Amino acid sequence: MKPSMPSPATPMTDQPLLGPPPPVLDPGSPAAFNESARALADAEITPNLAHWERQGSVSRSLFEAMGRAGVFGIGVAVEHGGLGLDLAHGISFVRAVMREPAAGVCTSLSVLTHLVAPLLARHGTPGQRDRWLRPVLAGRCVASVALTEPGGGSDLVRAVATTARPEPDGWLLQGEKTFITNAPLADVLLVLARTTPGTSALGLTLFLVPADLPGIVITPLATAGLHASPTGRVSFEDCRLPREAVLGRPGLAMVLLAGILPEERLAIAAGALACARWALERTARLLGASDQAMPELAWWDAEIEAAETFVDAAAERIGGPQDQLDAALAKTAGARLAQRVVQDCARLSGPGAYRDDEPAPAMLSALRDVRVLSVYGGSCETVRDTAAAELLRGALTPTQGPPTTTQATPTAP
Amino acid sequence: MPAPDQGDGTAMGAAVLEMVAQGLSGPVLDRLAPGSLPGPYRVSTALGDTTTHGLLGTRCDLELHGRPDRLTAWGHADHVLGLPDAGAVLVEGIRRYDGRRVLLLLPLDTPYTQVREQRLGALAGARYGHLEVTALAVPGHALLGTVQRHASLLHDAVAATRLGLARLLSDLAQQSVCGALAHAQRRPFQDGVLAGRQAFGHAVAEAAAAVRMCHAVTRRAATASGPARWDRAVRAGVFVARAVPQSVGTACRLFGGQGFMDGHPMAAAYREAVFAPVLLGGQQRLVDSMRQRLAGETSPPTLADGQAPAQTVRQAQAQGVGRPGQHPVPGSMR
């Protein structure tokens, strides 16, 4: 059963108007892509942002507009109907959207651009690509990724209690997922379920589950931030899936996710830093050039720039031997820096930062939204565990170049 | 170029000396006074703060008095790297009769120039000095031209040196973090080793992220050119100057008490790292640059004598408030 979403009167800005055709992404050159991404955000997102925040959800028309513009195909190969661009372009799009405090919109879109579409393109069968990837790319199909459960969080491997039992003609799905982005609007859910009893990472499988399947109940959740991003809880009660619902191979879900996770984490880091930059620029304009806080703002600016540059460098190295480590470090550093900068900008901005009656999303939205950026994509603490493990593994590799002390020092950091 | 050595403070000093000779004194002298000197290692450089924005911590306050054909130099320079071992010094001074800043190559073995060593407690392999110039007659051949005329050369050299020093310091931080990591894998702690503790892992991950940011921002700055590069080099330098002491400080803390013992590589690294803000400077420039953009001014990042190429002015106008020096590098997705 699909939940009934609130349906307030659609604002004029949400309707296609007569005039120039809506912009589409231009993959011709980095500069052209940047410009088209900004134009797209200005035309399709910014005018509707306040409405979506009040409504508590983006509308389906957003996905349709983004699909027409080619957004969901940024990281998908041309032969599968995408634009065949690299992660740097995906990050560029995130930055274009986040020139306003639009973390909710960005989150909803990123689920498709950085998770669902690349996973389907890389691991889907021809049939799955025909059924799901094409409509996702066109913006006709909204997708969710259902990983988190009520009894767990970033400790996915041990925490997954949702099961998919093999049946003669397919699988029987049973369990519950929560904090699922886009769930209230979803047409298809990518569900992580345990297919082998125990706690092994190789006992988990990803399933493509149509959201209108009997046995599925989706309940919208009210969250403290990301108001434009519809979030929900999904329960599966004796939900029967065909054999071909498996994405990739049974038992290999974590391998698939590990391959895509660095990209998602870098996109989150880029979004978090863009949120911090928006807050910084707004605060700097508010305070003026002669304000005593200018040295502090200038330093944050340098910090954000360094972190952005690291994200860019890590994006260029994606697929390399240290991409897990780079992404983990960038995600934790970016999210924590963003949280600190946004909070301090709000402090410097005074009571006006906490106004809830601004005509457009402002500092309060950024303040609410930035909190969750250190949670999703793996909480900062869990991701730092991953980074520490990677660093220790790297520390055991032979030193490159001559040692500079009496003891050979490794080169991992 | 020698790598900075945690165990021997003199190696870092030597590396800095060489970086300054190859990045700053060498290129400038090669262009302005080719073949007139035994080599850049015997020449110190003391440029003004508006040219270097605090690079190396050097301060130079020199004036040229008198008629154009009979100039005499008066003034002093502080914290001049390598001065006690130099035979000449490349300095910047103000010519009083026309108010222009000029470059001079002054000998140090005269009764009118006095050098006094200054001890700064870091870079054991390099010596700093104070220069006092009193009524030194400046012959025409010692004048190498105005700062304005050679602005591009000077700022390219300053940016290259700043980025080179930033790389050295980033490498020092990387070695320190690696050193702490290696130590923690051997160090027994309760029922395991120190490296197995979550708190240790988180701290080392944070330090490693800062080190990688230092390397990334330094590399990115080096890919730019012209005024964008000068500005980016300052900004990268300021970031590295803060991040390196923090990372090395973390590594030192994780290493434990042994790392605070005098003569230990960790202690030496810490001593050099806290000197990073002095070596790289740029703090004030960072603030001024942001203030200028907020005020809608279009002065370029580091050009001398207030002369801005039209291109720089256009770039400054085009960039948003609070986004200084972020002109896209060709091929960049920024």
Side-chain angles (χ1 to χ4, degrees):
Chain A
M1 183 184 79
K2 286 279 285 177
S4 56
M5 287 296 294
S7 53
T10 310
M12 288 299 288
T13 49
D14 214 0
Q15 296 282 0
L17 299 170
L18 289 176
V24 296
L25 293 179
D26 180 354
S29 70
F33 183 88
N34 279 339
E35 197 176 327
S36 61
R38 286 172 174 236
L40 181 63
D42 290 345
E44 301 289 348
I45 295 175
T46 308
N48 298 310
L49 200 49
H51 171 65
W52 290 333
E53 285 271 319
R54 280 194 303 274
Q55 180 179 266
S57 172
V58 294
S59 59
R60 288 190 72 93
S61 64
L62 168 73
F63 295 92
E64 289 159 10
M66 295 297 118
R68 280 194 301 270
V71 168
F72 305 127
I74 291 174
V76 173
V78 175
E79 62 263 33
H80 296 318
L83 298 177
L85 301 172
D86 60 14
L87 180 59
H89 289 78
I91 284 174
S92 173
F93 179 75
V94 167
R95 286 179 177 146
V97 173
M98 290 294 292
R99 284 176 303 134
E100 297 293 329
V105 176
C106 195
T107 300
S108 279
L109 297 179
S110 291
V111 167
L112 277 74
T113 50
H114 295 289
L115 287 174
V116 176
L119 280 172
L120 279 169
R122 292 175 202 176
H123 305 290
T125 61
Q128 287 169 337
R129 288 200 292 265
D130 276 346
R131 182 174 180 194
W132 298 118
L133 180 59
R134 281 171 188 267
V136 162
L137 294 183
R140 295 195 307 271
C141 173
V142 179
S144 283
V145 178
L147 306 181
T148 308
E149 300 198 356
S154 300
D155 54 340
L156 264 187
V157 173
R158 286 178 180 274
V160 171
T162 297
T163 57
R165 209 176 60 221
E167 300 269 294
D169 56 346
W171 304 82
L172 191 68
L173 186 64
Q174 190 97 21
E176 192 171 23
K177 299 286 180 179
T178 192
F179 310 134
I180 307 306
T181 300
N182 292 346
L185 292 179
D187 300 302
V188 64
L189 301 148
L190 197 51
V191 180
L192 181 69
R194 188 166 298 287
T195 44
T196 307
T199 55
S200 167
L202 292 175
L204 299 170
T205 302
L206 279 172
F207 293 92
L208 283 158
V209 182
D212 57 358
L213 218 58
I216 295 180
V217 177
I218 300 176
T219 314
L221 291 175
T223 53
L226 301 182
H227 286 166
S229 179
T231 307
R233 176 182 289 229
V234 189
S235 65
F236 307 95
E237 192 71 36
D238 291 334
C239 192
R240 294 192 178 279
L241 304 174
R243 277 205 195 96
E244 57 270 24
V246 173
L247 182 67
R249 287 168 53 192
L252 293 185
M254 295 315 289
V255 178
L256 269 56
L257 290 173
I260 204 84
L261 212 53
E263 296 177 34
E264 190 209 8
R265 285 179 174 162
L266 288 175
I268 293 171
L273 292 167
C275 183
R277 185 165 287 291
W278 175 87
L280 175 70
E281 292 182 8
R282 186 182 193 275
T283 308
R285 283 196 201 95
L286 184 73
L287 299 181
S290 58
D291 194 89
Q292 289 180 345
M294 205 48 61
E296 209 172 355
L297 295 175
W299 163 242
W300 295 338
D301 190 31
E303 270 191 296
I304 293 170
E305 185 182 343
E308 286 171 337
T309 309
F310 177 43
V311 169
D312 290 341
E316 284 169 17
R317 295 195 292 261
I318 206 79
Q322 293 202 337
D323 64 356
Q324 296 276 355
L325 174 59
D326 273 337
L329 293 176
K331 199 267 174 182
T332 53
R336 283 157 55 92
L337 173 61
Q339 198 157 345
R340 177 161 54 84
V341 169
V342 172
Q343 280 173 357
D344 282 341
C345 283
R347 171 177 58 80
L348 290 173
S349 300
Y354 300 89
R355 281 183 57 181
D356 205 5
D357 57 355
E358 297 269 12
M363 192 64 89
L364 188 60
S365 294
L367 208 48
R368 286 169 174 158
D369 294 348
V370 79
R371 276 184 57 202
V372 80
L373 300 177
S374 58
V375 176
Y376 66 34
S379 75
C380 277
E381 276 59 35
T382 312
V383 175
R384 276 201 294 185
D385 280 347
T386 308
E390 290 284 328
L391 282 167
L392 285 169
R393 201 171 16 248
L396 296 173
T397 60
T399 305
Q400 295 167 359
T404 53
T405 61
T406 49
Q407 297 160 341
T409 51
T411 55
Chain B
M1 176 196 323
D5 189 328
Q6 295 175 46
D8 177 6
T10 60
M12 184 68 177
V16 169
L17 269 176
E18 185 165 345
M19 182 64 69
V20 172
Q22 290 183 352
L24 185 61
S25 313
V28 174
L29 289 172
D30 280 349
R31 278 275 300 277
L32 303 184
S36 65
L37 293 155
Y41 295 92
R42 294 279 293 139
V43 182
S44 279
T45 300
L47 300 175
D49 195 58
T50 49
T51 305
T52 68
H53 300 300
L55 183 72
L56 302 170
T58 305
R59 294 279 180 272
C60 184
D61 184 10
L62 200 77
E63 293 188 346
L64 298 179
H65 293 270
R67 298 197 316 256
D69 57 341
R70 289 194 62 181
L71 289 171
T72 53
W74 301 73
H76 61 272
D78 265 322
H79 309 143
V80 185
L81 185 73
L83 189 68
D85 304 308
V89 61
L90 174 69
V91 291
E92 184 179 325
I94 294 180
R95 204 160 53 188
R96 298 307 305 179
Y97 74 80
D98 62 358
R100 285 179 172 269
R101 287 188 283 136
V102 293
L103 295 168
L104 306 114
L105 188 58
L106 300 180
L108 291 172
D109 54 349
T110 76
Y112 309 99
T113 50
Q114 289 187 332
V115 173
R116 189 180 73 244
E117 183 172 356
Q118 292 174 312
R119 300 181 68 83
L120 292 181
L123 303 181
R127 297 203 293 166
Y128 270 82
H130 169 88
L131 172 69
E132 196 74 41
V133 180
T134 312
L136 175 67
V138 180
H141 63 79
L143 277 171
L144 304 181
T146 64
V147 169
Q148 182 185 345
R149 185 179 167 202
H150 301 298
S152 287
L153 170 69
L154 289 172
H155 292 304
D156 279 348
V158 166
T161 308
R162 183 170 262 125
L163 291 175
L165 293 175
R167 274 193 298 273
L168 275 181
L169 288 160
S170 304
D171 290 348
L172 180 73
Q174 175 165 335
Q175 290 179 4
S176 301
V177 176
C178 288
L181 204 52
H183 168 75
Q185 286 178 313
R186 295 188 300 267
R187 163 83 158 81
F189 194 89
Q190 293 181 350
D191 52 352
V193 292
L194 180 59
R197 310 296 294 184
Q198 190 181 47
F200 175 89
H202 285 189
V204 89
E206 205 165 315
V211 169
R212 286 181 181 225
M213 283 185 211
C214 287
H215 280 130
V217 79
T218 307
R219 277 194 210 107
R220 171 68 69 91
T223 61
S225 61
R229 185 181 193 216
W230 310 337
D231 191 44
R232 280 193 177 183
V234 169
R235 302 168 58 70
V238 172
F239 179 78
V240 170
R242 281 220 203 177
V244 163
Q246 282 174 4
S247 303
V248 175
T250 299
C252 208
R253 191 178 74 244
L254 295 175
F255 201 90
Q258 204 185 344
F260 283 99
M261 300 303 290
D262 208 10
H264 192 278
M266 273 291 169
Y270 185 73
R271 197 169 53 235
E272 308 300 359
V274 296
F275 196 58
V278 177
L279 276 180
L280 295 169
Q283 303 269 0
Q284 192 53 47
R285 173 63 214 163
L286 191 71
V287 179
D288 291 345
S289 150
M290 191 144 183
R291 283 205 167 111
Q292 282 167 1
R293 274 185 301 279
L294 281 170
E297 293 171 23
T298 52
S299 64
T302 50
L303 270 183
D305 293 346
Q307 299 298 308
Q311 182 192 7
T312 312
V313 175
R314 282 198 299 274
Q315 282 177 336
Q317 286 168 334
Q319 71 194 15
V321 171
R323 304 210 65 174
Q326 302 217 0
H327 320 304
V329 172
S332 159
M333 287 306 307
R334 184 184 290 284

